[in-house]
Amino acid sequence: NAGVTQTPKFQVLKTGQSMTLQCAQDMNHNSMYWYRQDPGMGLRLIYYSASEGTTDKGEVPNGYNVSRLNKREFSLRLESAAPSQTSVYFCASREDGYTFGSGTRLTVV
Amino acid sequence: EDQVTQSPEALRLQEGESSSLNCSYTVSGLRGLFWYRQDPGKGPEFLFTLYSAGEEKEKERLKATLTKKESFLHITAPKPEDSATYLCAVRRDNYGQNFVFGPGTRLSVLP
């Protein structure tokens, strides 16, 4: 099925560990996004990529880095995880409305 | 400051009991209001886009409407399978790559 694929689905990290969340879309969309979702706060934009080769900060970029590897793939890296980064992370791509992946539930202990 | 609020935070309905969810926004230069449905453990799924005051969209038991300050998602004769969290988001005029999401309304429809 066409859509956005995220891996992994679940992850537990210790404070200070690093990890990369992977995202790929097969809809030939130019724009890709990383959001985090926390209870009562709505989805907040971390980083986005308007097109291959470009990335820009969103509302809450601190502690994260991204790479737009090609048109299909957009990864999110946590260099030194902190408990405040415990959240559910969603990748999305967009033409008009968003198409979201199924999410990565990350716990930092 | 651009802001999107949704009410109520949670809503419990009996099957067949119609109701409405509210999305209020204070955004300059609205370029679209989007409704999404999110099931537990899944990503949001697109429902509707509304672009101008007075516009309405319908899909099965759902009907979305838009005014200059708010949007309503009307649910007619809901079924248990309509239980989900409903999110609204607005696209801002000066931030073509950025949307502002509301916190969502968690809807439970009891059989």
Side-chain angles (χ1 to χ4, degrees):
Chain A
N1 293 335
V4 178
T5 303
Q6 288 182 240
T7 56
K9 291 189 181 299
F10 301 94
Q11 184 71 49
V12 178
L13 292 178
K14 293 182 179 180
T15 298
Q17 287 185 318
S18 63
M19 78 162 295
T20 300
L21 282 65
Q22 306 287 352
C23 175
Q25 54 96 4
D26 59 5
M27 295 169 288
N28 204 37
H29 291 165
N30 286 315
S31 301
M32 296 187 73
Y33 304 79
W34 278 104
Y35 279 90
R36 61 178 288 172
Q37 186 175 40
D38 300 291
M41 299 189 71
L43 287 155
R44 292 182 293 168
L45 184 65
I46 305 171
Y47 270 94
Y48 66 95
S49 171
S51 62
E52 186 179 353
T54 68
T55 61
D56 284 286
K57 295 178 181 180
E59 181 184 356
V60 288
N62 292 344
Y64 305 96
N65 284 299
V66 291
S67 296
R68 183 73 181 267
L69 304 172
N70 48 55
K71 192 171 186 178
R72 291 186 63 249
E73 299 173 286
F74 187 39
S75 63
L76 177 72
R77 183 162 178 83
L78 286 71
E79 291 291 352
S80 179
S84 61
Q85 294 178 305
T86 293
S87 187
V88 181
Y89 292 85
F90 288 100
C91 177
S93 67
R94 184 175 72 84
E95 284 296 332
D96 187 16
Y98 286 105
T99 299
F100 286 90
S102 58
T104 296
R105 185 172 296 274
L106 175 67
T107 302
V108 183
V109 298
Chain B
E1 180 184 350
D2 294 338
Q3 194 169 16
V4 177
T5 58
Q6 291 187 247
S7 62
E9 182 176 330
L11 180 63
R12 297 182 74 179
L13 299 173
Q14 290 297 131
E15 184 172 2
E17 180 187 3
S18 301
S19 188
S20 297
L21 313 182
N22 176 265
C23 172
S24 297
Y25 59 91
T26 53
V27 170
S28 57
L30 179 74
R31 293 188 65 190
L33 186 140
F34 298 75
W35 281 99
Y36 290 85
R37 170 192 170 123
Q38 186 174 21
D39 292 301
K42 296 188 177 181
E45 178 184 346
F46 172 75
L47 291 174
F48 303 110
T49 309
L50 302 166
Y51 290 103
S52 58
E55 188 175 359
E56 300 182 352
K57 294 274 180 74
E58 284 189 71
K59 180 180 179 180
E60 295 181 356
R61 294 176 294 281
L62 301 177
K63 179 180 173 180
T65 62
L66 181 64
T67 71
K68 289 187 178 180
K69 295 184 178 180
E70 59 191 349
S71 177
F72 291 94
L73 185 65
H74 306 279
I75 303 174
T76 302
K79 298 181 178 182
E81 53 261 43
D82 294 321
S83 297
T85 296
Y86 291 86
L87 307 173
C88 73
V90 298
R91 180 177 174 181
R92 300 178 288 184
D93 188 34
N94 294 326
Y95 298 90
Q97 299 294 345
N98 199 358
F99 287 57
V100 179
F101 279 85
T105 293
R106 190 171 61 256
L107 175 66
S108 300
V109 182
L110 307 177

